[in-house]
Amino acid sequence: MNLFSQFRKFFLIISLVFCLGIFAAFTAEVSLAQTQIATTMNRVEATTKNVEGKVQETLGNVTGNKKDQFMGKAKQAESKVRNAVEDIKDATRQQQLKAATKKIEAKTEKAIDNSIVNPNYLPSGKTNDIKSESRNPANKMKEEVRNTFK
């Protein structure tokens, strides 16, 4: 019976870790989708600015207006800067995502190892709390018996 309860605890812990992993992956996917939408919108704005700059530069070339030529080139340069910023943001997000994934994997492996080594293992260090709680009723019972025979 004791072996059965140890297996049950082990599989319960494994299933909880698995569920937490799925939850973390799902929330990461939602966050990633929102981030990708924002990135796409920023890139669309940059592309729009680039097209606007090319049109203004071409108009300046046709009319001979130096100000329009300059402003068109400035808008194109701004578009390049915006795209470069988005490239940097994407690279940073990828690094953060990789680091978070490795951290989750490490915590999962540690929880599995702890549950194998210590069958009474509970996540978040609750094992000692439960042991002390289970000893308290026994201590109280001993005190009551002593008090009865005094």
Side-chain angles (χ1 to χ4, degrees):
M1 185 70 176
N2 191 18
L3 184 62
F4 175 72
S5 69
Q6 287 179 350
F7 276 123
R8 190 177 74 195
K9 286 180 184 178
F10 172 75
F11 286 116
L12 178 66
I13 290 171
I14 295 298
S15 63
L16 287 174
V17 168
F18 182 71
C19 289
L20 287 173
I22 290 174
F23 177 74
F26 178 73
T27 56
E29 286 294 323
V30 170
S31 175
L32 183 62
Q34 291 171 344
T35 304
Q36 287 175 342
I37 290 171
T39 299
T40 302
M41 292 303 294
N42 290 341
R43 289 196 187 272
V44 167
E45 288 177 15
T47 303
T48 303
K49 189 63 82 169
N50 189 28
V51 169
E52 185 181 319
K54 286 182 180 183
V55 168
Q56 192 170 7
E57 181 185 9
T58 303
L59 183 64
N61 288 339
V62 170
T63 61
N65 187 344
K66 298 287 184 187
K67 182 179 177 184
D68 281 342
Q69 291 174 354
F70 177 75
M71 291 303 291
K73 289 180 182 179
K75 287 180 181 179
Q76 291 174 42
E78 180 184 349
S79 169
K80 288 180 183 178
V81 169
R82 285 185 180 194
N83 279 321
V85 167
E86 290 304 316
D87 290 341
I88 292 170
K89 285 181 182 178
D90 286 343
T92 303
R93 285 185 196 111
Q94 289 297 326
Q95 292 299 324
Q96 289 173 344
L97 186 60
K98 286 179 184 178
T101 303
K102 287 183 181 182
K103 188 175 180 181
I104 290 171
E105 288 174 356
K107 285 184 176 181
T108 303
E109 287 178 16
K110 183 178 179 182
I112 290 171
D113 290 343
N114 286 339
S115 64
I116 291 171
V117 171
N118 180 5
N120 295 324
Y121 170 76
L122 294 173
S124 304
K126 294 182 180 176
T127 306
N128 291 335
D129 295 340
I130 290 176
K131 284 181 183 176
S132 65
E133 287 175 12
S134 65
R135 289 182 188 148
N136 285 339
N139 291 338
K140 287 180 183 177
M141 187 78 97
K142 287 178 186 177
E143 288 176 20
E144 287 178 15
V145 169
R146 285 182 189 150
N147 290 336
T148 305
F149 291 108
K150 280 188 181 181

